[in-house]
């Protein structure tokens, strides 16, 4: 029996640092369109939905092909609600509607570098290895072990002096969240009440395909990266 999967794109309307970031024009399309298109193009999901508290976001999401069967509650629409709060609410609402999903994929609405291929690879790992979660990560471009902290007198010092004389290539590679998506086994996620710390498999992606978008400068850098990737893909006769 084919297992069912849902893509949940979390898109709250109250972005503070970049107003209307989730639907702002990014290289010719609303930002959220990239996440919706990747989910739809993957062919993995029985439902691609957007969780939002904004009528404007909902209208754009539906135009792009996503479903918005209900709006967020007041509790999951404020500045203090976590992503797990939103996901738990969505899964429980669907269950009230009589729909259950074996897998759930949380996709951020600000992930223009997300592709259907990355989602397919995540599902392949999920079905093959049966972890609790699969997520994309990127290696730190500079080793965090060599970081500085600022003292009270304004000077800086190594945070970890034991690595003072270590060569960068000898330090353990460390990774951080790529901020694109998280694929979960739904029942296990519910059992852990949305707190997943172990049994997570990574998809390691290059830094050229990752960009946090929290400031105007981030936004500009993301557009530059995206245009570069498109240009490279066109030269190779490929699609992003």
């Amino acid at each position: 029996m084919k297992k069912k999967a849902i893509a949940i794109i979390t898109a709250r309307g109250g972005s503070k640092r970049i107003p209307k970031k989730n639907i702002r024009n990014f290289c010719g399309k609303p930002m959220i369109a990239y996440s919706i298109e990747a989910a739809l193009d993957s062919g993995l999901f029985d439902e691609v939905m957007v969780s939002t508290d904004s009528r404007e976001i909902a209208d754009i999401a539906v135009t792009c092909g996503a479903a918005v069967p209900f709006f967020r509650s007041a509790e999951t629409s404020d500045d203090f609600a976590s992503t797990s709060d939103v996901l738990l609410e969505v899964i429980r609402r669907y269950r009230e509607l009589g729909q259950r999903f074996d897998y759930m994929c949380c996709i951020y609405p600000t992930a223009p570098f997300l592709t259907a291929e990355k989602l397919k690879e995540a599902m392949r790992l999920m079905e093959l290895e049966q972890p609790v979660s699969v997520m994309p990560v990127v290696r730190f471009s500079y080793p965090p072990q060599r970081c500085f902290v600022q003292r009270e007198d304004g000077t800086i010092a190594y945070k970890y002096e034991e690595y003072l004389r270590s060569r960068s290539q000898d330090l353990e590679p460390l990774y951080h969240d790529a901020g694109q998506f998280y694929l979960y086994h739904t029942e296990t996620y519910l059992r852990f009440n949305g707190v997943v710390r172990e049994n997570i498999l990574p998809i390691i992606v290059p830094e050229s395909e990752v960009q946090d978008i929290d400031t105007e400068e981030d936004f500009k850098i993301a557009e530059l990266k995206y245009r570069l990737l498109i240009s490279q893909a066109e030269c190779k006769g490929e699609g992003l």
Side-chain angles (χ1 to χ4, degrees), residues 195-216:
V195 181
V196 177
R197 295 191 180 94
E198 298 180 351
N199 199 9
I200 303 169
L201 283 179
I203 295 176
I204 300 174
V205 297
E207 193 172 2
S208 61
E209 298 177 16
V210 175
Q211 180 63 45
D212 283 338
I213 306 177
D214 294 322
T215 66
E216 287 292 338

Side-chain angles (χ1 to χ4, degrees), residues 4-217:
K4 296 184 66 177
I6 182 173
I8 303 170
I9 300 170
T10 57
R12 190 167 70 94
S15 177
K16 298 291 192 300
R17 288 172 290 188
I18 304 178
K20 296 189 176 183
K21 175 175 67 173
N22 295 330
I23 53 174
R24 180 169 169 175
N25 184 293
F26 182 93
C27 293
K29 291 188 287 191
M31 178 77 78
I32 196 172
Y34 295 89
S35 297
I36 295 172
E37 290 171 5
L40 292 172
D41 291 346
S42 74
L44 297 171
F45 305 106
D46 298 272
E47 180 92 322
V48 175
M49 70 87 66
V50 170
S51 170
T52 186
D53 58 340
S54 164
R55 171 61 66 182
E56 185 177 15
I57 291 176
D59 290 343
I60 291 173
V62 170
T63 299
C64 292
V68 185
F70 44 79
F71 282 84
R72 290 190 190 184
S73 65
E75 291 74 21
T76 57
S77 298
D78 63 26
D79 293 336
F80 303 102
S82 66
T83 298
S84 61
D85 292 332
V86 174
L87 298 179
L88 291 169
E89 178 181 73
V90 168
I91 290 301
R92 288 164 181 159
R93 287 291 301 275
Y94 269 99
R95 290 194 169 192
E96 291 172 2
L97 297 173
Q99 297 188 59
R100 291 175 175 260
F101 300 94
D102 301 285
Y103 302 122
M104 52 183 276
C105 187
C106 170
I107 300 177
Y108 285 148
T110 52
F113 301 100
L114 177 60
T115 63
E117 288 67 33
K118 286 190 181 80
L119 293 170
K120 289 178 183 178
E121 174 62 12
M123 186 62 78
R124 185 190 71 80
L125 288 173
M126 175 64 75
E127 294 180 336
L128 180 66
E129 303 292 344
Q130 288 296 301
V132 175
S133 178
V134 181
M135 62 179 285
V137 299
V138 59
R139 182 173 175 172
F140 281 98
S141 58
Y142 185 86
Q145 299 96 325
R146 301 290 298 278
C147 70
F148 292 98
V149 292
Q150 189 170 25
R151 295 167 169 164
E152 290 184 4
D153 64 1
T155 63
I156 60 173
Y158 281 100
K159 173 70 174 177
Y160 307 105
E161 291 190 5
E162 62 268 34
Y163 300 117
L164 180 61
R165 297 185 180 278
S166 299
R167 300 186 308 166
S168 295
Q169 59 265 40
D170 294 332
L171 296 173
E172 178 185 10
L174 298 176
Y175 301 84
H176 64 87
D177 184 354
Q180 295 179 353
F181 71 89
Y182 314 91
L183 179 63
Y184 297 108
H185 186 278
T186 307
E187 287 299 330
T188 308
Y189 187 85
L190 290 172
R191 189 164 68 248
F192 290 164
N193 199 34
V195 181
V196 177
R197 295 191 180 94
E198 298 180 351
N199 199 9
I200 303 169
L201 283 179
I203 295 176
I204 300 174
V205 297
E207 193 172 2
S208 61
E209 298 177 16
V210 175
Q211 180 63 45
D212 283 338
I213 306 177
D214 294 322
T215 66
E216 287 292 338
E217 184 176 9

